[in-house]
Amino acid sequence: MEFTLSDSLSRIASSTGFAALTGGHVIMLLVSLVLFYLAIWKQFEPLLLLPIGMGCLLANLPLTGLANTVDGGLFNIFYYGVKHEILPPLIFLGVGALTDFGPMLANPYTLFLGAAAQIGVYTTLVGAVALGFNMQEASAIGIIGGADGPTSIFLAAKLAPHLLGPIAVAAYSYMSLVPLIQPPIMRFFTTKKEREVRMEQLKPISPNVKIIFPIAVTVICCLMLPGVAPLLGMFMLGNLFRESGVTQRLSETAQTHLINIVTILLALSVGSSMTAESFLTLETIKIIVLGLIAFCFATAGGVLFGKLMYIFTKGKVNPLIGSAGVSAVPMAARVSQKVGAEELKGNYLLMHAMGPNVAGVIGSAVAAGVFLSLFGDVGAAHSTAMVLTVGE
Amino acid sequence: MIVAAVKVSILAMGVIFTVLTVLIGVIQLLVKFIPYVEPPAPPARKTAPASGTGSEEEAETLAAIHVAVAHHRGESPQAIQVTNIQSH
């Protein structure tokens, strides 16, 4: 074989990533830089946006084989965790271990605020269908309004895996923008008098109730909506680790190291799904717009239901806690606290807002369960189980 | 299709409110039948009258430190005399 210098140089040049770089790649590299900017300099959800940005950057450097679609590639293997329902439920395990249901148990009617905030999910579902998405895609987009990243990823992976990248990015970007998106809506829908309501101190809850509650929720919700069992089951297991008092090591691991490791894997997988081919489409722009609408309607739904509770309780409930019904724990609760304290100094709404906030996590998981029951393959799994039973 | 989406939305909101209403009922039952009981107050600490050597508890701590230091230095506890203790 003849070996010339010019041939060798030409071969080396054509084997570099530069030769395969397209305009789409360049745009996606710029998108990853925007994510880095938001994460590092603006500190918007840095734990998520930073690894998502890096996953996006690596997936769009040609010939590295790091896009999640490349069989056998590193991120393809990580992506199995998303595709096969492993990573989002593990995140929920950690979130459960970090969650105190006390405020919600002390004032159980705040669960309704978590339900009301799901209105954003369904208005967006209608909007998505109007924009030409099918029902499965619209459901996966609508759940962005639940302001719950793992639930959005879980549902998108099941109902619309081709839209996972834009849905996850929209969900986490808007979650990080909760302190900017929510306050104007909260002020718009409430009067000064309503915002100044001081709420009564929450009554203490027996530790035994805190232990029984996650078990009861698991049984009830998983029987009513089996599709949501991986998310709610893990969420409640994490909480049981915390409340049982006998699994401190497991609780600490779930709260810290486990959730951190899984966050890295999940965020990298999501970032690596943001390839130019899948992301630079008209659908992505529609999803970004619909995601914003979902958040706005979710906030408005929670606040308006809060107003309703204000009327029914003769002014004992501050409607501002309704906005925390979108999950985004604990950021949404902090926003309720901040807006309330701005209106009336020394008005502490944080603990009251934590009730609807954790209720929002349950609410968005239940909303996902409803979508899975309607459009997922839960029915198929049931049929398979039936066939197996008959066969045995 | 939009009409179907509206129907799905109404149905789904109904299911969510139903599930959460059931949970509220469960919580109320739990709170009713397992009320919060104030934990017993910890027994008041016995305080020994002040003396030159401090309280009984302090004396025990001092003895333990004394023995540990002696062990560390490889000397007999009698060979070591604690003259001053300062807390920082």
Side-chain angles (χ1 to χ4, degrees):
Chain A
M1 180 183 158
E2 200 174 326
F3 199 79
T4 62
L5 184 65
S6 61
D7 268 358
S8 306
L9 283 174
S10 157
R11 267 167 177 266
I12 289 171
S14 62
S15 70
T16 64
F18 287 110
L21 203 63
T22 63
H25 289 135
V26 174
I27 293 172
M28 289 313 294
L29 293 178
L30 291 174
V31 169
S32 69
L33 294 182
V34 171
L35 293 175
F36 286 141
Y37 172 75
L38 291 175
I40 299 167
W41 284 280
K42 289 287 174 184
Q43 298 195 358
F44 287 164
E45 291 276 346
L47 299 179
L48 288 157
L49 291 188
L50 197 149
I52 288 178
M54 196 64 188
C56 173
L57 182 107
L58 288 167
N60 287 287
L61 291 173
L63 309 180
T64 55
L66 283 176
N68 74 334
T69 46
V70 179
D71 274 341
L74 179 67
F75 292 165
N76 180 257
I77 293 166
F78 290 175
Y79 189 67
Y80 275 105
V82 176
K83 213 161 75 175
H84 298 287
E85 300 174 18
I86 299 167
L87 299 180
L90 284 177
I91 293 269
F92 257 57
L93 181 78
V95 174
L98 286 162
T99 300
D100 177 10
F101 282 123
M104 193 190 75
L105 294 170
N107 191 3
Y109 289 101
T110 56
L111 266 165
F112 282 137
L113 295 170
Q118 306 309 316
I119 193 106
V121 172
Y122 296 103
T123 45
T124 310
L125 170 90
V126 177
V129 167
L131 285 177
F133 290 100
N134 65 36
M135 211 62 109
Q136 279 90 342
E137 291 169 338
S139 307
I141 295 166
I143 205 76
I144 297 172
D148 194 332
T151 306
S152 302
I153 292 169
F154 180 80
L155 198 66
K158 281 194 158 246
L159 298 184
H162 55 289
L163 298 179
L164 178 68
I167 286 174
V169 170
Y172 280 118
S173 304
Y174 290 132
M175 272 168 68
S176 66
L177 293 174
V178 158
L180 298 178
I181 295 172
Q182 285 197 321
I185 300 168
M186 293 159 77
R187 290 193 194 99
F188 180 78
F189 283 110
T190 50
T191 61
K192 187 171 170 55
K193 190 184 165 198
E194 287 166 347
R195 290 194 294 271
E196 284 181 347
V197 170
R198 276 183 197 271
M199 291 181 68
E200 285 172 15
Q201 199 175 353
L202 295 169
K203 58 182 184 291
I205 293 293
S206 160
N208 286 332
V209 171
K210 288 186 174 183
I211 292 170
I212 295 169
F213 178 70
I215 300 170
V217 173
T218 307
V219 173
I220 292 166
C221 290
C222 296
L223 281 177
M224 291 178 96
L225 301 161
V228 82
L231 284 183
L232 264 184
M234 287 294 116
F235 186 52
M236 294 304 158
L237 174 63
N239 192 254
L240 204 53
F241 282 161
R242 173 197 176 95
E243 300 297 351
S244 67
V246 293
T247 51
Q248 202 180 343
R249 279 166 49 196
L250 301 185
S251 174
E252 281 170 9
T253 303
Q255 287 179 29
T256 54
H257 307 303
L258 181 68
I259 198 169
N260 290 341
I261 292 167
V262 177
T263 299
I264 293 170
L265 298 180
L266 184 70
L268 277 173
S269 305
V270 168
S272 68
S273 69
M274 293 168 63
T275 54
E277 302 79 50
S278 67
F279 200 83
L280 295 178
T281 60
L282 187 61
E283 271 69 37
T284 301
I285 296 167
K286 287 181 188 172
I287 289 168
I288 301 285
V289 173
L290 285 166
L292 181 61
I293 293 169
F295 256 69
C296 295
F297 272 94
T299 305
V303 173
L304 289 174
F305 203 89
K307 274 174 85 89
L308 208 61
M309 288 178 79
Y310 170 84
I311 294 165
F312 276 105
T313 58
K314 297 192 174 96
K316 284 183 181 166
V317 170
N318 189 321
L320 291 178
I321 66 167
S323 66
V326 303
S327 9
V329 181
M331 206 187 295
R334 282 199 204 124
V335 172
S336 299
Q337 157 69 26
K338 189 169 168 277
V339 176
E342 276 171 7
E343 211 62 54
L344 181 66
K345 214 175 173 187
N347 192 7
Y348 295 104
L349 293 175
L350 186 65
M351 286 315 285
H352 300 285
M354 281 309 289
N357 210 188
V358 294
V361 180
I362 297 175
S364 59
V366 170
V370 174
F371 282 141
L372 286 173
S373 298
L374 289 171
F375 308 119
D377 57 358
V378 175
H382 179 62
S383 309
T384 312
M386 291 283 280
V387 170
L388 282 173
T389 312
V390 171
E392 282 161 8
Chain B
M1 191 79 163
I2 292 175
V3 176
V6 172
K7 282 180 184 169
V8 165
S9 301
I10 294 167
L11 174 75
M13 281 302 283
V15 173
I16 291 175
F17 271 96
T18 306
V19 173
L20 295 183
T21 304
V22 171
L23 290 184
I24 289 171
V26 170
I27 293 170
Q28 286 187 324
L29 280 176
L30 286 173
V31 172
K32 188 178 175 188
F33 289 108
I34 313 173
Y36 177 76
V37 182
E38 195 81 36
R45 256 190 173 183
K46 285 180 186 172
T47 50
S51 68
T53 56
S55 69
E56 196 177 307
E57 200 174 308
E58 279 175 349
E60 278 177 15
T61 310
L62 190 60
I65 294 169
H66 198 156
V67 173
V69 171
H71 181 75
H72 177 70
R73 289 186 170 183
E75 296 173 11
S76 158
Q78 284 77 23
I80 295 171
Q81 193 179 358
V82 179
T83 55
N84 187 17
I85 294 176
Q86 286 182 326
S87 60
H88 292 279

